[in-house]
Amino acid sequence: MRRILLSTLFLAFAAQPLAAQEVAVAPDVSTAGLPALGTQWLSANPYRNQPAAAEARAIGRDAYNQACARCHGVDASTNAAPAPDLRNLDRGCRRIVDPALKARCQADNDAYFARTVRQGKVILGVTHMPPWQGVLSQELAWAIQVFVESRAAAR
Ligand code: HEC
């Protein structure tokens, strides 16, 4: 009995690192069309509402579909994917009319987005989302956010 228990435990733990879908794989997307941002992460999205926004949206869409879609849903257009619907992230901010309050809300949202993407979601030792730090450039991370927000606005 003890032996069965032990081998079951062993299997349960040994199986975890084998879950290949939890590995962050860099998308194959060029960021040449975007203003370079360097390695020091910014705290706010530098492309939103800027001249580079349209380019960021297109590049972000490509990167999103390569890197995020398998968990968060193709084109950020479904709430039936296994991972949360990212279009909901800025829902609260979009409803705010007061410009100063809206900017504060977006600043919070940007900080949360960047932190979550960089650190992933590792809860009690289980990787729900792998960390993207060192895998995804910040250019691509912010571009993905611009794309996701455009999908949210179109809803
Ligand atoms: C292996 C599956 C997987 C991949 C790939 C993945 N995620 Fe996630 N992500 C998750 C899961 C699962 C959660 C929810 C974790 C939790 O809160 O328990 C999550 C949560 C998030 C959150 C927080 C959502 C919220 O409502 O708080 C953000 C932001 C996010 N992911 C962004 C991304 C981005 C951007 C990419 C692509 C670069 C990505 N994820 C790729 C599985 C994944």
Side-chain angles (χ1 to χ4, degrees):
M1 183 60 197
R2 200 184 139 92
R3 188 174 239 159
I4 293 173
L5 187 69
L6 281 178
S7 53
T8 310
L9 274 176
F10 174 75
L11 276 178
F13 285 108
Q16 255 167 40
L18 297 178
Q21 73 274 15
E22 287 167 6
V23 173
V25 180
D28 183 12
V29 182
S30 167
T31 54
L34 292 173
L37 304 173
T39 51
Q40 187 77 30
W41 278 71
L42 305 172
S43 58
N45 192 314
Y47 301 140
R48 180 190 297 119
N49 301 330
Q50 296 299 312
E55 187 71 9
R57 183 178 177 279
I59 289 174
R61 179 182 190 182
D62 198 1
Y64 173 91
N65 278 323
Q66 286 187 42
C68 322
R70 67 193 159 95
C71 296
H72 290 283
V74 171
D75 264 345
S77 60
T78 175
N79 56 13
D85 183 346
L86 299 183
R87 290 174 302 176
N88 291 333
L89 280 173
D90 71 329
R91 193 162 59 177
C93 301
R94 260 180 290 132
R95 289 204 189 112
I96 298 175
V97 180
D98 180 74
L101 214 57
K102 197 183 188 88
R104 272 218 344 245
C105 184
Q106 262 173 351
D108 271 359
N109 192 47
D110 285 2
Y112 175 73
F113 180 84
R115 188 179 69 233
T116 308
V117 169
R118 293 169 72 188
Q119 297 178 352
K121 285 273 193 183
V122 183
I123 300 158
L124 297 173
V126 177
T127 302
H128 296 258
M129 173 163 86
W132 293 90
Q133 173 88 46
V135 177
L136 197 70
S137 67
Q138 68 162 326
E139 284 85 352
L140 285 183
W142 295 124
I144 287 172
Q145 193 192 25
V146 168
F147 166 65
V148 169
E149 288 180 359
S150 77
R151 302 296 295 164
R155 190 147 66 146

